[in-house]
Amino acid sequence: MFEMAHNADMPPAPPTHRREHSGPLHELLTLMGHSAQLYNVLVHFVRMLYVSSRHPALCSLRYDLLMRLHDLNVAQIIDIEPCHSFAWLIDACVRDNAVESRRIKELQTSFEGVQSGDALLGDLGMIVASPFVEHTLLRSAYQALLQLIEAGGVPRESEELCFVTQLLALATRAHSNLKDQKFSIPHVQLEVLDEFYPALMAVVVQDLTRQEPAVDGAPPPPERQPPEQAFIELFLKNAVARKVTLYYVLTRIQHKDVESVSELLTLVESLDGVLDLEPAFTQSLVTEVLNAKNHNIRKLAIDMFVLAHRDDSLFIHLQVVRFVSEIQLRVSLKELLDYLQKMLPSKPLDEQEDSVRLRLTQAYNQLLTRCALCCFVSHYHGWAGLWGVRVLSGCMSALVRARTRARVCDQICRLVSRVTGQNAPWLFSYLGRTSDENYTHYPVSPGSYQS
């Protein structure tokens, strides 16, 4: 489930291809078969898990489970599933990476007959709360704003923007609707249309103007003005405004706009727990920084922002490990060791779901192996590399179970024995495992090691 939900980096893979190659989804469908009764039990269980955890992975599971049955044409289930028509239209929007006018009319028709108090609104909200769907809706909202800027229009005049905003409001209420069992149809939020969007459009105009190439003799573009107070207030209190703003942050990272990213991340920093509340944004932020390959953007987004929140949750720490694992071949050894030191948790992290802990363990396993290869095989001094391994080992002791840590240390010691031709009892002592008796069995020569 976790794998399915947190691969919403831009651009998304075609939904049918993603579902076809999803191992967890295939296993669930194999267990369920074509039984409508088991399907209803599974959907009910997914709702309960979502209410208790608020994890967007479960929204993706709700959406992908239904649409995979559609892909397989399991008529016994999709014919009686009241969300099927809506989910199919949303899936077409995800496939096209846009919410077109004809799709809006079809989606509005599928809403007919759904009234406030209908529990169906909870399932519809889960479908649009999937990170895959949210990404499509946010992209459509941003494209509509760009069109309004070019045409000189106002947000109220855009049918597409109004409807997409309504769907985003439905997504932000999905959890509270299911938890409180109070279902209501979200209306278009006037404060978002009349205050937030015009303020955001002013920010976008400033950034686009500064990006235009300089013309000989033309005056320099005016200095960037801070966002209007209405923009800041609605970002802090309105969930739809927050999601649209976070999407805009990602677009500025793509354009390597250091000034805009700095100002927007300062605003995002003022919202407590934003990275934990928006896991899809957190993963996309790291991905966009890696793709941008810009030193200043990396310093702003990772060094000064994400690393400061590394203790908030295991998922955020997992993204830090992923970043260091990807960046370690692009930076100097000094910078790599600096990142290894910075990523150390300042306090024990809370226990979370086993799936996140498992992924974190696997990420550390991969990072340890890569760093060992980089540090011991390269021309850099071996003790510097050993210090980096020690830092990672200490970090793992606060994050993963002792047995897993011991197994990873075993692999590192075997690796050192293989590439250096030396035995590794001293390394075990340095890693804090002097009581282990298996180190004496490690080979002395690289040729004697059998992987």
Side-chain angles (χ1 to χ4, degrees):
M1 293 185 294
F2 198 88
E3 288 288 349
M4 290 157 50
H6 288 284
N7 287 316
D9 302 319
M10 301 169 281
T16 54
H17 181 272
R18 185 189 69 244
R19 291 190 291 265
E20 183 180 356
H21 293 84
S22 170
L25 190 61
H26 177 73
E27 292 177 10
L28 283 174
L29 290 173
T30 301
L31 292 172
M32 185 184 69
H34 293 178
S35 170
Q37 183 177 2
L38 288 178
Y39 172 78
N40 290 330
V41 170
L42 178 57
V43 168
H44 177 67
F45 184 61
V46 170
R47 288 195 206 100
M48 291 175 57
L49 288 176
Y50 180 59
V51 169
S52 63
S53 68
R54 198 173 185 170
H55 209 299
L58 296 158
C59 296
S60 289
L61 178 61
R62 175 69 178 96
Y63 157 61
D64 277 337
L65 182 64
L66 171 56
M67 289 313 301
R68 184 55 184 161
L69 293 171
H70 170 88
D71 298 338
L72 298 173
N73 196 27
V74 183
Q76 302 95 307
I77 297 177
I78 61 176
D79 287 349
I80 62 174
E81 168 61 84
C83 298
H84 174 241
S85 176
F86 178 82
W88 177 75
L89 292 170
I90 285 291
D91 195 61
C93 296
V94 174
R95 181 194 63 212
D96 299 335
N97 206 20
V99 183
E100 300 175 349
S101 298
R102 62 188 180 95
R103 296 297 184 194
I104 291 177
K105 298 185 183 301
E106 294 171 343
L107 285 166
Q108 289 172 336
T109 301
S110 70
F111 258 113
E112 294 178 359
V114 181
Q115 301 178 349
S116 293
D118 193 337
L120 183 62
L121 287 169
D123 286 303
L124 298 180
M126 285 189 71
I127 290 172
V128 292
S130 165
F132 302 113
V133 179
E134 271 195 357
H135 166 75
T136 302
L137 297 177
L138 291 169
R139 182 181 184 277
S140 296
Y142 180 63
Q143 292 298 323
L145 289 174
L146 293 180
Q147 293 173 7
L148 289 172
I149 291 173
E150 185 176 354
V154 295
R156 274 177 174 265
E157 297 174 352
S158 173
E159 180 185 12
E160 176 187 347
L161 184 59
C162 291
F163 186 70
V164 167
T165 303
Q166 186 177 15
L167 290 181
L168 287 171
L170 179 63
T172 59
R173 295 184 186 181
H175 182 264
S176 60
N177 282 345
L178 289 169
K179 183 178 180 180
D180 302 333
Q181 291 294 296
K182 295 179 180 179
F183 306 99
S184 60
I185 298 177
H187 299 289
V188 177
Q189 299 171 322
L190 296 181
E191 60 181 3
V192 174
L193 288 176
D194 295 340
E195 299 179 39
F196 172 73
Y197 282 147
L200 177 59
M201 290 167 67
V203 173
V204 173
V205 169
Q206 285 192 76
D207 292 337
L208 293 179
T209 302
R210 288 188 300 104
Q211 273 195 304
E212 292 179 354
V215 180
D216 293 340
E223 293 185 2
R224 194 177 194 278
Q225 300 298 316
E228 299 177 13
Q229 190 62 30
F231 177 88
I232 299 174
E233 291 177 355
L234 284 170
F235 169 79
L236 295 176
K237 73 176 184 179
N238 187 282
V240 173
R242 181 178 72 237
K243 288 183 178 295
V244 175
T245 303
L246 294 179
Y247 180 85
Y248 185 63
V249 173
L250 298 177
T251 65
R252 299 325 300 163
I253 292 177
Q254 288 178 335
H255 289 86
K256 304 177 183 180
D257 188 346
V258 176
E259 186 177 352
S260 179
V261 170
S262 176
E263 187 173 83
L264 291 171
L265 286 182
T266 302
L267 174 61
V268 173
E269 181 74 25
S270 63
L271 187 62
D272 293 336
V274 63
L275 292 181
D276 207 20
L277 289 172
E278 302 287 347
F281 166 74
T282 305
Q283 175 157 322
S284 295
L285 176 69
V286 172
T287 301
E288 292 301 340
V289 171
L290 289 170
N291 291 337
K293 300 178 181 179
N294 183 282
H295 177 76
N296 293 327
I297 292 292
R298 170 158 55 89
K299 289 290 184 182
L300 285 171
I302 303 298
D303 298 26
M304 301 173 61
F305 184 58
V306 177
L307 281 170
H309 297 274
R310 66 190 183 281
D311 297 340
D312 291 359
S313 72
L314 281 177
F315 176 75
I316 297 175
H317 197 89
L318 173 63
Q319 297 309 309
V320 173
V321 176
R322 182 171 75 94
F323 171 79
V324 176
S325 181
E326 293 292 333
I327 204 71
Q328 55 100 9
L329 294 178
R330 306 181 193 173
V331 298
S332 66
L333 182 63
K334 182 180 181 300
E335 289 180 291
L336 173 61
L337 297 180
D338 188 46
Y339 274 121
L340 294 179
Q341 181 67 43
K342 288 179 180 178
M343 66 189 286
L344 280 170
S346 59
K347 63 181 180 180
L349 298 179
D350 295 334
E351 291 284 337
Q352 293 190 7
E353 62 266 35
D354 288 339
S355 61
V356 183
R357 186 168 292 279
L358 176 61
R359 292 187 69 206
L360 185 60
T361 302
Q362 294 170 341
Y364 264 110
N365 192 340
Q366 182 184 43
L367 182 56
L368 278 164
T369 304
R370 286 185 177 182
C371 286
L373 280 171
C374 176
C375 296
F376 284 100
V377 181
S378 70
H379 64 275
Y380 294 111
H381 196 278
W383 280 102
L386 181 59
W387 181 84
V389 173
R390 181 66 180 89
V391 169
L392 280 173
S393 177
C395 191
M396 285 188 63
S397 66
L399 298 173
V400 299
R401 297 179 178 88
R403 181 178 299 176
T404 303
R405 181 191 172 207
R407 184 165 56 250
V408 175
C409 290
D410 288 347
Q411 294 176 0
I412 293 297
C413 291
R414 290 176 182 272
L415 181 63
V416 174
S417 299
R418 183 178 185 181
V419 300
T420 65
Q422 300 177 4
N423 212 336
W426 54 274
L427 183 56
F428 258 106
S429 176
Y430 197 75
L431 292 174
R433 296 192 62 242
T434 54
S435 60
D436 192 282
E437 299 177 356
N438 294 328
Y439 66 81
T440 56
H441 302 295
Y442 289 164
V444 175
S445 64
S448 62
Y449 180 81
Q450 298 296 325
S451 59

